[in-house]
Amino acid sequence: MFEVWRLAYTISNENQPWATKAVPNVKKVLTVAASGDQALFYKLAGAEIVDTFDITANARVIQDIKYVAVKNIDWIDYPVLLEKLHFKTGHDIKSVLNDFNLWNSMPDETRKIIEKKGSEYTIGQGLAPSTHPENIPTKDDYAKLKGMLTGPFNFILSDIASLKLKANQTYDIINISNIFDFCHEEQAQKKILDNLSENLDANGRIAYLPQCQKIKYDNLRTEKVVYEKTLSYDKNTKMILFQKTR
């Protein structure tokens, strides 16, 4: 059962510039939507198709806000917008977006989600955006994104167990962020890996970025997927890769 209205993160607590470039030559991506940063940085890394999924519709909200912001406001105003959205003192999301003249540019479906929630907070999970400056695009990258983005990212409302039934194409990589931190049973994880492998191209990968890893994967092998390797950025940041075998 997925939590349609779980509070979404305002900014990622993973290092997205590193994570989205850790596997080179990725052109088709399915990633957790989360704070919307994954999608933006995969585009910067060269992905041509970036589809997203999440258990909360609020992840779609922050992802669409970031898309509209990149297209419509200056780089210097982008972190200011995120800070105001995170704290929203005395305001709801709609009023903050109106302050930046973004409300009328939001996708219709996303405006409906925001209005359905009224003044309730839909985003604001985690730490403030200023604590993760690595996930704010540089001025040059922001300018690139303005030209690269042609429409909001495709969003699938789904938990990870149901995802294979809702994703309608195959990908070079599926980024599940740290979802396995909350799915501790090895057999359950193996089932998810096998199911998701059906949405991978030949030799495609599933990327897991643990923050509280419960299982050792060195010898993990399922019917369709095998543990490939672990990439590290620093002692606290790593990516575990599983590769499709058939």
PDB file of all heavy atoms in Angstrom, residues 92-114:
ATOM      1  N   ASP A  92       0.991  28.839   2.120  1.00  0.00           N
ATOM      2  CA  ASP A  92       0.894  27.513   1.523  1.00  0.00           C
ATOM      3  C   ASP A  92       1.705  27.524   0.232  1.00  0.00           C
ATOM      4  O   ASP A  92       2.251  28.541  -0.180  1.00  0.00           O
ATOM      5  CB  ASP A  92      -0.558  27.087   1.296  1.00  0.00           C
ATOM      6  CG  ASP A  92      -1.320  28.036   0.373  1.00  0.00           C
ATOM      7  OD1 ASP A  92      -0.667  28.792  -0.373  1.00  0.00           O
ATOM      8  OD2 ASP A  92      -2.560  28.002   0.379  1.00  0.00           O
ATOM      9  N   ILE A  93       1.811  26.367  -0.399  1.00  0.00           N
ATOM     10  CA  ILE A  93       2.653  26.252  -1.596  1.00  0.00           C
ATOM     11  C   ILE A  93       2.153  27.157  -2.719  1.00  0.00           C
ATOM     12  O   ILE A  93       2.951  27.793  -3.419  1.00  0.00           O
ATOM     13  CB  ILE A  93       2.714  24.789  -2.055  1.00  0.00           C
ATOM     14  CG1 ILE A  93       3.584  23.985  -1.083  1.00  0.00           C
ATOM     15  CG2 ILE A  93       3.278  24.667  -3.468  1.00  0.00           C
ATOM     16  CD1 ILE A  93       3.637  22.518  -1.370  1.00  0.00           C
ATOM     17  N   LYS A  94       0.853  27.227  -2.892  1.00  0.00           N
ATOM     18  CA  LYS A  94       0.306  28.050  -3.979  1.00  0.00           C
ATOM     19  C   LYS A  94       0.727  29.506  -3.823  1.00  0.00           C
ATOM     20  O   LYS A  94       1.109  30.160  -4.808  1.00  0.00           O
ATOM     21  CB  LYS A  94      -1.219  27.936  -4.014  1.00  0.00           C
ATOM     22  CG  LYS A  94      -1.857  28.728  -5.142  1.00  0.00           C
ATOM     23  CD  LYS A  94      -3.363  28.513  -5.184  1.00  0.00           C
ATOM     24  CE  LYS A  94      -4.002  29.314  -6.320  1.00  0.00           C
ATOM     25  NZ  LYS A  94      -5.476  29.089  -6.385  1.00  0.00           N
ATOM     26  N   SER A  95       0.673  30.032  -2.616  1.00  0.00           N
ATOM     27  CA  SER A  95       1.030  31.441  -2.429  1.00  0.00           C
ATOM     28  C   SER A  95       2.519  31.672  -2.674  1.00  0.00           C
ATOM     29  O   SER A  95       2.905  32.704  -3.225  1.00  0.00           O
ATOM     30  CB  SER A  95       0.636  31.910  -1.025  1.00  0.00           C
ATOM     31  OG  SER A  95       1.377  31.232  -0.027  1.00  0.00           O
ATOM     32  N   VAL A  96       3.363  30.698  -2.293  1.00  0.00           N
ATOM     33  CA  VAL A  96       4.790  30.833  -2.575  1.00  0.00           C
ATOM     34  C   VAL A  96       5.030  30.849  -4.081  1.00  0.00           C
ATOM     35  O   VAL A  96       5.792  31.672  -4.597  1.00  0.00           O
ATOM     36  CB  VAL A  96       5.597  29.695  -1.912  1.00  0.00           C
ATOM     37  CG1 VAL A  96       7.058  29.762  -2.345  1.00  0.00           C
ATOM     38  CG2 VAL A  96       5.488  29.764  -0.390  1.00  0.00           C
ATOM     39  N   LEU A  97       4.376  29.946  -4.798  1.00  0.00           N
ATOM     40  CA  LEU A  97       4.541  29.901  -6.258  1.00  0.00           C
ATOM     41  C   LEU A  97       4.030  31.179  -6.900  1.00  0.00           C
ATOM     42  O   LEU A  97       4.618  31.673  -7.874  1.00  0.00           O
ATOM     43  CB  LEU A  97       3.812  28.685  -6.826  1.00  0.00           C
ATOM     44  CG  LEU A  97       4.395  27.325  -6.422  1.00  0.00           C
ATOM     45  CD1 LEU A  97       3.534  26.191  -6.969  1.00  0.00           C
ATOM     46  CD2 LEU A  97       5.827  27.174  -6.910  1.00  0.00           C
ATOM     47  N   ASN A  98       2.961  31.731  -6.377  1.00  0.00           N
ATOM     48  CA  ASN A  98       2.462  33.004  -6.907  1.00  0.00           C
ATOM     49  C   ASN A  98       3.465  34.124  -6.676  1.00  0.00           C
ATOM     50  O   ASN A  98       3.617  35.014  -7.523  1.00  0.00           O
ATOM     51  CB  ASN A  98       1.118  33.357  -6.259  1.00  0.00           C
ATOM     52  CG  ASN A  98      -0.063  32.794  -7.027  1.00  0.00           C
ATOM     53  OD1 ASN A  98      -0.064  32.785  -8.260  1.00  0.00           O
ATOM     54  ND2 ASN A  98      -1.067  32.321  -6.305  1.00  0.00           N
ATOM     55  N   ASP A  99       4.171  34.082  -5.553  1.00  0.00           N
ATOM     56  CA  ASP A  99       5.173  35.117  -5.269  1.00  0.00           C
ATOM     57  C   ASP A  99       6.277  35.135  -6.327  1.00  0.00           C
ATOM     58  O   ASP A  99       6.881  36.181  -6.581  1.00  0.00           O
ATOM     59  CB  ASP A  99       5.808  34.871  -3.893  1.00  0.00           C
ATOM     60  CG  ASP A  99       4.862  35.190  -2.745  1.00  0.00           C
ATOM     61  OD1 ASP A  99       3.854  35.868  -2.978  1.00  0.00           O
ATOM     62  OD2 ASP A  99       5.148  34.734  -1.616  1.00  0.00           O
ATOM     63  N   PHE A 100       6.521  33.969  -6.943  1.00  0.00           N
ATOM     64  CA  PHE A 100       7.563  33.857  -7.974  1.00  0.00           C
ATOM     65  C   PHE A 100       6.958  33.785  -9.383  1.00  0.00           C
ATOM     66  O   PHE A 100       7.650  33.464 -10.343  1.00  0.00           O
ATOM     67  CB  PHE A 100       8.427  32.613  -7.724  1.00  0.00           C
ATOM     68  CG  PHE A 100       9.361  32.751  -6.558  1.00  0.00           C
ATOM     69  CD1 PHE A 100       8.898  32.589  -5.260  1.00  0.00           C
ATOM     70  CD2 PHE A 100      10.701  33.069  -6.748  1.00  0.00           C
ATOM     71  CE1 PHE A 100       9.759  32.719  -4.173  1.00  0.00           C
ATOM     72  CE2 PHE A 100      11.556  33.200  -5.676  1.00  0.00           C
ATOM     73  CZ  PHE A 100      11.089  33.036  -4.378  1.00  0.00           C
ATOM     74  N   ASN A 101       5.664  34.093  -9.494  1.00  0.00           N
ATOM     75  CA  ASN A 101       4.943  34.081 -10.774  1.00  0.00           C
ATOM     76  C   ASN A 101       5.043  32.728 -11.485  1.00  0.00           C
ATOM     77  O   ASN A 101       5.186  32.662 -12.719  1.00  0.00           O
ATOM     78  CB  ASN A 101       5.473  35.189 -11.706  1.00  0.00           C
ATOM     79  CG  ASN A 101       5.234  36.578 -11.147  1.00  0.00           C
ATOM     80  OD1 ASN A 101       4.134  36.878 -10.671  1.00  0.00           O
ATOM     81  ND2 ASN A 101       6.260  37.418 -11.177  1.00  0.00           N
ATOM     82  N   LEU A 102       4.948  31.637 -10.710  1.00  0.00           N
ATOM     83  CA  LEU A 102       5.075  30.300 -11.270  1.00  0.00           C
ATOM     84  C   LEU A 102       3.761  29.524 -11.291  1.00  0.00           C
ATOM     85  O   LEU A 102       3.658  28.512 -11.991  1.00  0.00           O
ATOM     86  CB  LEU A 102       6.112  29.491 -10.463  1.00  0.00           C
ATOM     87  CG  LEU A 102       7.557  29.981 -10.528  1.00  0.00           C
ATOM     88  CD1 LEU A 102       8.439  29.128  -9.612  1.00  0.00           C
ATOM     89  CD2 LEU A 102       8.076  29.946 -11.960  1.00  0.00           C
ATOM     90  N   TRP A 103       2.776  29.974 -10.542  1.00  0.00           N
ATOM     91  CA  TRP A 103       1.557  29.172 -10.400  1.00  0.00           C
ATOM     92  C   TRP A 103       0.897  28.880 -11.746  1.00  0.00           C
ATOM     93  O   TRP A 103       0.531  27.738 -12.040  1.00  0.00           O
ATOM     94  CB  TRP A 103       0.570  29.870  -9.478  1.00  0.00           C
ATOM     95  CG  TRP A 103      -0.746  29.139  -9.346  1.00  0.00           C
ATOM     96  CD1 TRP A 103      -1.951  29.519  -9.856  1.00  0.00           C
ATOM     97  CD2 TRP A 103      -0.953  27.890  -8.687  1.00  0.00           C
ATOM     98  NE1 TRP A 103      -2.912  28.594  -9.548  1.00  0.00           N
ATOM     99  CE2 TRP A 103      -2.337  27.577  -8.835  1.00  0.00           C
ATOM    100  CE3 TRP A 103      -0.136  27.007  -7.996  1.00  0.00           C
ATOM    101  CZ2 TRP A 103      -2.899  26.411  -8.297  1.00  0.00           C
ATOM    102  CZ3 TRP A 103      -0.696  25.853  -7.464  1.00  0.00           C
ATOM    103  CH2 TRP A 103      -2.048  25.562  -7.631  1.00  0.00           C
ATOM    104  N   ASN A 104       0.760  29.866 -12.587  1.00  0.00           N
ATOM    105  CA  ASN A 104       0.059  29.674 -13.860  1.00  0.00           C
ATOM    106  C   ASN A 104       0.851  28.832 -14.851  1.00  0.00           C
ATOM    107  O   ASN A 104       0.288  28.359 -15.848  1.00  0.00           O
ATOM    108  CB  ASN A 104      -0.284  31.028 -14.490  1.00  0.00           C
ATOM    109  CG  ASN A 104      -1.349  31.768 -13.715  1.00  0.00           C
ATOM    110  OD1 ASN A 104      -2.189  31.165 -13.059  1.00  0.00           O
ATOM    111  ND2 ASN A 104      -1.321  33.097 -13.779  1.00  0.00           N
ATOM    112  N   SER A 105       2.126  28.621 -14.588  1.00  0.00           N
ATOM    113  CA  SER A 105       2.944  27.783 -15.472  1.00  0.00           C
ATOM    114  C   SER A 105       2.986  26.324 -15.022  1.00  0.00           C
ATOM    115  O   SER A 105       3.520  25.471 -15.747  1.00  0.00           O
ATOM    116  CB  SER A 105       4.387  28.331 -15.524  1.00  0.00           C
ATOM    117  OG  SER A 105       4.410  29.635 -16.054  1.00  0.00           O
ATOM    118  N   MET A 106       2.429  26.033 -13.857  1.00  0.00           N
ATOM    119  CA  MET A 106       2.452  24.666 -13.349  1.00  0.00           C
ATOM    120  C   MET A 106       1.532  23.763 -14.189  1.00  0.00           C
ATOM    121  O   MET A 106       0.486  24.212 -14.675  1.00  0.00           O
ATOM    122  CB  MET A 106       1.986  24.642 -11.893  1.00  0.00           C
ATOM    123  CG  MET A 106       2.940  25.305 -10.912  1.00  0.00           C
ATOM    124  SD  MET A 106       4.518  24.438 -10.764  1.00  0.00           S
ATOM    125  CE  MET A 106       3.978  22.882 -10.088  1.00  0.00           C
ATOM    126  N   PRO A 107       1.904  22.473 -14.381  1.00  0.00           N
ATOM    127  CA  PRO A 107       1.012  21.540 -15.087  1.00  0.00           C
ATOM    128  C   PRO A 107      -0.346  21.462 -14.392  1.00  0.00           C
ATOM    129  O   PRO A 107      -0.430  21.518 -13.154  1.00  0.00           O
ATOM    130  CB  PRO A 107       1.763  20.209 -14.989  1.00  0.00           C
ATOM    131  CG  PRO A 107       3.197  20.587 -14.808  1.00  0.00           C
ATOM    132  CD  PRO A 107       3.182  21.845 -13.998  1.00  0.00           C
ATOM    133  N   ASP A 108      -1.403  21.330 -15.169  1.00  0.00           N
ATOM    134  CA  ASP A 108      -2.763  21.324 -14.616  1.00  0.00           C
ATOM    135  C   ASP A 108      -2.937  20.261 -13.534  1.00  0.00           C
ATOM    136  O   ASP A 108      -3.535  20.519 -12.484  1.00  0.00           O
ATOM    137  CB  ASP A 108      -3.787  21.096 -15.730  1.00  0.00           C
ATOM    138  CG  ASP A 108      -3.918  22.287 -16.661  1.00  0.00           C
ATOM    139  OD1 ASP A 108      -3.461  23.389 -16.269  1.00  0.00           O
ATOM    140  OD2 ASP A 108      -4.461  22.120 -17.768  1.00  0.00           O
ATOM    141  N   GLU A 109      -2.443  19.056 -13.793  1.00  0.00           N
ATOM    142  CA  GLU A 109      -2.638  17.966 -12.844  1.00  0.00           C
ATOM    143  C   GLU A 109      -1.940  18.262 -11.520  1.00  0.00           C
ATOM    144  O   GLU A 109      -2.458  17.941 -10.444  1.00  0.00           O
ATOM    145  CB  GLU A 109      -2.101  16.646 -13.430  1.00  0.00           C
ATOM    146  CG  GLU A 109      -2.421  15.423 -12.600  1.00  0.00           C
ATOM    147  CD  GLU A 109      -3.911  15.164 -12.454  1.00  0.00           C
ATOM    148  OE1 GLU A 109      -4.679  15.499 -13.379  1.00  0.00           O
ATOM    149  OE2 GLU A 109      -4.308  14.624 -11.395  1.00  0.00           O
ATOM    150  N   THR A 110      -0.798  18.897 -11.589  1.00  0.00           N
ATOM    151  CA  THR A 110      -0.061  19.215 -10.368  1.00  0.00           C
ATOM    152  C   THR A 110      -0.744  20.328  -9.596  1.00  0.00           C
ATOM    153  O   THR A 110      -0.776  20.315  -8.355  1.00  0.00           O
ATOM    154  CB  THR A 110       1.391  19.601 -10.712  1.00  0.00           C
ATOM    155  OG1 THR A 110       1.957  18.549 -11.500  1.00  0.00           O
ATOM    156  CG2 THR A 110       2.219  19.785  -9.457  1.00  0.00           C
ATOM    157  N   ARG A 111      -1.316  21.289 -10.293  1.00  0.00           N
ATOM    158  CA  ARG A 111      -2.091  22.325  -9.593  1.00  0.00           C
ATOM    159  C   ARG A 111      -3.277  21.716  -8.863  1.00  0.00           C
ATOM    160  O   ARG A 111      -3.613  22.125  -7.749  1.00  0.00           O
ATOM    161  CB  ARG A 111      -2.563  23.391 -10.587  1.00  0.00           C
ATOM    162  CG  ARG A 111      -1.473  24.373 -10.977  1.00  0.00           C
ATOM    163  CD  ARG A 111      -1.986  25.549 -11.748  1.00  0.00           C
ATOM    164  NE  ARG A 111      -2.461  25.177 -13.075  1.00  0.00           N
ATOM    165  CZ  ARG A 111      -2.891  26.043 -13.989  1.00  0.00           C
ATOM    166  NH1 ARG A 111      -2.942  27.314 -13.694  1.00  0.00           N
ATOM    167  NH2 ARG A 111      -3.267  25.632 -15.174  1.00  0.00           N
ATOM    168  N   LYS A 112      -3.880  20.696  -9.472  1.00  0.00           N
ATOM    169  CA  LYS A 112      -5.005  20.020  -8.816  1.00  0.00           C
ATOM    170  C   LYS A 112      -4.556  19.333  -7.528  1.00  0.00           C
ATOM    171  O   LYS A 112      -5.266  19.336  -6.523  1.00  0.00           O
ATOM    172  CB  LYS A 112      -5.625  18.990  -9.763  1.00  0.00           C
ATOM    173  CG  LYS A 112      -6.389  19.596 -10.933  1.00  0.00           C
ATOM    174  CD  LYS A 112      -6.904  18.500 -11.863  1.00  0.00           C
ATOM    175  CE  LYS A 112      -7.583  19.087 -13.087  1.00  0.00           C
ATOM    176  NZ  LYS A 112      -8.017  18.020 -14.037  1.00  0.00           N
ATOM    177  N   ILE A 113      -3.368  18.725  -7.572  1.00  0.00           N
ATOM    178  CA  ILE A 113      -2.843  18.066  -6.370  1.00  0.00           C
ATOM    179  C   ILE A 113      -2.625  19.099  -5.272  1.00  0.00           C
ATOM    180  O   ILE A 113      -3.014  18.899  -4.110  1.00  0.00           O
ATOM    181  CB  ILE A 113      -1.519  17.343  -6.690  1.00  0.00           C
ATOM    182  CG1 ILE A 113      -1.759  16.171  -7.636  1.00  0.00           C
ATOM    183  CG2 ILE A 113      -0.853  16.839  -5.395  1.00  0.00           C
ATOM    184  CD1 ILE A 113      -0.486  15.526  -8.166  1.00  0.00           C
ATOM    185  N   ILE A 114      -2.013  20.226  -5.618  1.00  0.00           N
ATOM    186  CA  ILE A 114      -1.740  21.266  -4.630  1.00  0.00           C
ATOM    187  C   ILE A 114      -3.036  21.820  -4.069  1.00  0.00           C
ATOM    188  O   ILE A 114      -3.189  21.997  -2.848  1.00  0.00           O
ATOM    189  CB  ILE A 114      -0.896  22.394  -5.254  1.00  0.00           C
ATOM    190  CG1 ILE A 114       0.487  21.857  -5.643  1.00  0.00           C
ATOM    191  CG2 ILE A 114      -0.758  23.570  -4.284  1.00  0.00           C
ATOM    192  CD1 ILE A 114       1.313  22.824  -6.468  1.00  0.00           C
TER     193      ILE A 114
END
